[in-house]
Amino acid sequence: MRFAHVMTAGADDPRLVLVEDDRATFVGDLFAGAPERLQQLIELGDDGLARVADASTSEGVAWHDITGSAFASAVLAPPIVLAVGLNYAAHSSELGLKADTAPTVFTLWPNSLTAHNAITSWPRSLSESVDYEAELGVIIGTAAKDVPADTALDHVWGYTVVNDITARDIQFSEAQWSRCKSFDGFTPTGPYVVTADEVPDPQDLHIWAVVDGQTVQDASTGQMIRSVATLVAHLSTAATLLPGTLISTGSPGGAGYSRDPQIFLRDRSVVTVGIDGIGELRTHCRITD
């Protein structure tokens, strides 16, 4: 199943929709008390998801064309956003950073979350070295604590696309990476969240990024140093991963910082990050003086 948050005409808040091809139905309209946010649906567990699936096949369900719809972030108000750095050998090598024996983990601030087709802006005075990073986003479905890698995927609810936008000059001037990746709008997600049953093997996905018409990243999630299952297991040893937690699993090689000449995001740059079977996420960049 495929879900998204969309904005409706005259409404201030996004609504959760179930998406099939280019049409969608509002989950909140399917039955009394149905969830209006992805987080609420996740917290209902398997029974809630099954009820949505059953209700969506009933007669009288209203389906709408969502072509051209305005999206909100695919993930809204998660308990935490955990990001993993240096999880592809090509990316750690091109940045001149060592992939340590344990994963490099940091948090992304909630203000950084934004939507497909949204405008992300930043002041030129703060950074002129802003980079893109295509990443697979993993969403936890059931609380995970001290789970082994061989059962870790049982705790995954679904997957989404993440662009982990990064101010490289700040990244290399500070020991901690949270701030350089957490400007307002620096974590676009979506447009969709695909349930885990639609992704039999998260290590067998084509992932790519296109900047201003040029393909700059083209890889497979099979190139991760640590698999999704390994990451979930590792993260669950320190603290319980709560339902709705978003894990951004690292970026493959091809970052703009390491290119010759370098490619940084410019005013009016357009970045498209895609993952087969999940979707394409587009970001429009603006630089202010």
Side-chain angles (χ1 to χ4, degrees):
M1 300 174 73
R2 184 176 298 257
F3 295 91
H5 291 114
V6 300
M7 305 300 298
T8 57
D12 294 329
D13 295 321
R15 298 188 67 190
L16 181 67
V17 293
L18 170 65
V19 181
E20 292 185 1
D21 299 321
D22 288 331
R23 65 176 193 164
T25 187
F26 292 103
V27 174
D29 294 342
L30 291 177
F31 54 86
E36 291 282 5
R37 298 285 187 278
L38 182 72
Q39 182 67 28
Q40 296 168 340
L41 177 58
I42 292 170
E43 291 174 356
L44 289 176
D46 291 343
D47 290 344
L49 190 60
R51 190 172 182 189
V52 168
D54 290 343
S56 68
T57 63
S58 302
E59 291 186 10
V61 172
W63 291 92
H64 310 274
D65 183 356
I66 61 168
T67 304
S69 294
F71 289 85
S73 178
V75 180
L76 294 172
I80 193 169
V81 181
L82 297 172
V84 178
L86 311 179
N87 198 33
Y88 289 75
H91 185 56
S92 61
S93 176
E94 70 187 2
L95 294 182
L97 297 171
K98 181 182 178 182
D100 293 329
T101 54
T104 297
V105 181
F106 50 95
T107 58
L108 298 175
W109 303 344
N111 56 283
S112 69
L113 291 170
T114 194
H116 168 64
N117 259 338
I119 295 173
T120 292
S121 64
W122 62 91
R124 192 181 310 275
S125 60
L126 196 53
S127 180
E128 293 189 87
S129 304
V130 175
D131 210 343
Y132 51 85
E133 289 189 7
E135 305 204 7
L136 172 66
V138 176
I139 300 163
I140 296 298
T142 56
K145 174 62 177 173
D146 289 326
V147 299
D150 58 359
T151 61
L153 293 184
D154 295 341
H155 294 268
V156 174
W157 195 90
Y159 300 90
T160 191
V161 182
V162 177
N163 184 359
D164 181 24
I165 301 174
T166 307
R168 295 291 184 204
D169 44 0
I170 295 178
Q171 180 181 28
F172 286 104
S173 68
E174 298 180 354
Q176 172 53 252
W177 293 357
S178 291
R179 189 171 82 98
C180 70
K181 294 171 175 281
S182 293
F183 291 17
D184 292 342
F186 264 30
T187 314
T189 73
Y192 309 114
V193 171
V194 175
T195 52
D197 60 297
E198 303 261 339
V199 183
D201 183 359
Q203 307 311 139
D204 187 26
L205 300 172
H206 179 207
I207 182 170
W208 69 91
V210 177
V211 176
D212 298 331
Q214 176 182 352
T215 298
V216 290
Q217 293 184 295
D218 190 358
S220 167
T221 55
Q223 296 168 354
M224 288 183 187
I225 296 172
R226 301 170 185 88
S227 68
V228 171
T230 299
L231 291 174
V232 171
H234 174 78
L235 293 170
S236 76
T237 62
T240 303
L241 300 179
L242 299 175
T245 294
L246 173 63
I247 304 169
S248 198
T249 57
S251 178
Y257 173 86
S258 62
R259 290 178 170 270
D260 185 15
Q262 291 179 319
I263 299 175
F264 290 124
L265 301 180
R266 304 171 297 178
D267 185 46
R268 303 196 176 274
S269 282
V270 178
V271 185
T272 302
V273 173
I275 302 177
D276 274 351
I278 301 177
E280 286 192 331
L281 169 67
R282 189 176 304 109
T283 300
H284 302 270
C285 302
R286 298 290 186 273
I287 302 177
T288 59
D289 291 324

